[in-house]
Amino acid sequence: MRRSAAMLCGVTVVLAGTITAVPANASVSPSANTARTAKASWKACGTDDTPTLQCASVKVPLNHAKPQGRQITLALSRVPHTAKTYQGPLLVNPGGPGGSGLSLAGFVASSLPKDVAAQYDVIGFDPRGVGASQPALDCKPGHFDPVRPDSVPSTPAIEKANVARAKAFAQACGRKYAAVLPYINTVSAVQDMDSIRVALGAKKINYFGYSYGTYLGAVYAKMYPQRVRRLVLDSMVDPTGVWYDANIQQDYAFDKRHKALMTWIAKYDSTYKLGTDPKKIEAKWYAMRAALAKKPAGGKVGASELEDIFIPGGYNNGYWPTLAQTFAAYVNDHNTDALVKAYDNIAAIDASGDNGYSVYTSVQCRDASWPRDWNQWRKDNWAVYKKAPFMAWNNAWYNAPCAFWPTKPLKPVNVANSKLPPVLLFQATDDAATPYQGGVTMSRLLRGSSLVVEQGGGNHGITLSGNACLDKYLAAYLTNGKVPHGSGVADAVCQKSPDPKPQGTETTAVRTAQTAPATGESTLRGILGFRG
């Protein structure tokens, strides 16, 4: 979960108006959150990529039920509109939970057709606890430092070590942020979004969210339906699986994507020389994993770290050439340097990753109930592992702090909604991070929404990534609010973008998203990160 963040100006706006507490399954009155508020004050903070970028910050209550109590700070970014036709603010969110949205504003503004982007103030924001917002959470720096215990608890000692890690992380969060954790959740983040709306001086907002950002947007629409002008959701969380069930469903989908990578490698045996039988190639991968469990590469890449390197390939096939080269270097040349380089460039968790994970767990563990009996986790994840071993236990330990979380859970929000204008939804059929059924479910719950499907696509976050068919529907909707209408589950179908080609025959050098020339797809891939 490596996240990028733009530098923020120290401009603060205090929201001193009354903000009513809202039950998670209710909407608010149009008059809520409108009294005695100040508009955001923007300052230039342009970058080479986004020279017109502006920055501000806004203060909101930690507890929206007590608007005069402790205040926290949200960091904002903006690419202002330039056209005479102005369609209002377009809030964008990259998901997570825990993803920084500051750089997403510049990406969206530069990736949309110029005449479309020019009609919006594209607004990025770091949700509470994230990045440049304050306080920014970091429960236990170095939680992911290598070498971690093997993710597969094949012995009681390994299981005990992993449980201890998860429990220690939850306890660290409780000690460090006892006063904050009860208010790090989706509903509070949604109330923050409406505070941002007020600070922008807008009666309504437009919203564009990826991944977890789709749930965030759907909850906003549920709580503030009268405030929604246009709503775009890309790669949808199943809102009925929040959050334990959704993570288990991910495991099956990621196993399929890992097998798809093996099939792709088999297709290019002339480059990677790992064979032409995907099952035999997969057996070589698991043999590599077993060897690294005994002797980590460079004292850094063990079995768990190897999984960390390859999990991004389930999110986006743009990583496949790098992963295949790394795999081939180890198997064919006994080269461990490539693994270490891939880990450092793709999987290593830096300070922003520590922050992102702290917010991820804080939101997910607070949003909904998780099993508190570790025996239930053990039973469920061994059952998954038997059918889909690739990510089952790695994902279990990633979420395991929720079994020991120090705050009581809330109830998930029922996002079913019949009060919205036309909504545009995007989903790939083979997306592993947010499996296809979640998009179908979201489409069913948001009455009158329109679902655009990328047939055969397996990437996570599919618009503004080079698929002209998908982007055509997005641009049309943002221009005039029109959505496609079909007779089946999907209202429109686009063919998937082509799979990548091998980068070359070299196996000792690892080209990564960080060193390869930037493209729209690779830039978005970096912003969205992993696990979100």
Side-chain angles (χ1 to χ4, degrees), residues 144-212:
F144 289 97
D145 285 354
V147 173
R148 307 197 308 276
D150 192 330
S151 65
V152 179
S154 55
T155 69
I158 293 174
E159 181 178 35
K160 184 178 180 180
N162 277 306
V163 168
R165 285 186 69 255
K167 187 178 295 185
F169 186 87
Q171 291 172 342
C173 287
R175 286 192 304 269
K176 200 169 183 179
Y177 300 110
V180 175
L181 288 188
Y183 308 104
I184 306 296
N185 56 74
T186 296
V187 168
S188 294
V190 160
Q191 292 171 309
D192 291 345
M193 286 171 56
D194 204 55
S195 297
I196 292 172
R197 176 192 62 78
V198 175
L200 297 174
K203 292 183 178 180
K204 295 185 178 183
I205 63 167
N206 307 280
Y207 179 84
F208 181 10
Y210 291 94
S211 193
Y212 162 78

Side-chain angles (χ1 to χ4, degrees), residues 442-528:
M442 186 75 83
S443 177
R444 174 175 54 82
L445 292 175
L446 301 184
R447 185 181 297 178
S449 61
S450 182
L451 177 62
V452 179
V453 169
E454 185 182 34
Q455 186 65 43
N459 289 345
H460 182 63
I462 55 176
T463 55
L464 305 183
S465 295
N467 189 315
C469 176
L470 297 171
D471 292 349
K472 175 188 67 175
Y473 290 109
L474 174 63
Y477 177 69
L478 291 177
T479 299
N480 53 36
K482 292 184 179 180
V483 296
H485 295 288
S487 56
V489 173
D491 294 280
V493 176
C494 294
Q495 295 305 305
K496 73 169 188 175
S497 297
D499 287 339
K501 300 289 185 182
Q503 292 171 342
T505 58
E506 72 279 5
T507 57
T508 57
V510 178
R511 285 183 75 216
T512 68
Q514 286 72 34
T515 58
T519 64
E521 182 274 330
S522 66
T523 300
L524 180 62
R525 188 197 320 159
I527 294 171
L528 297 187

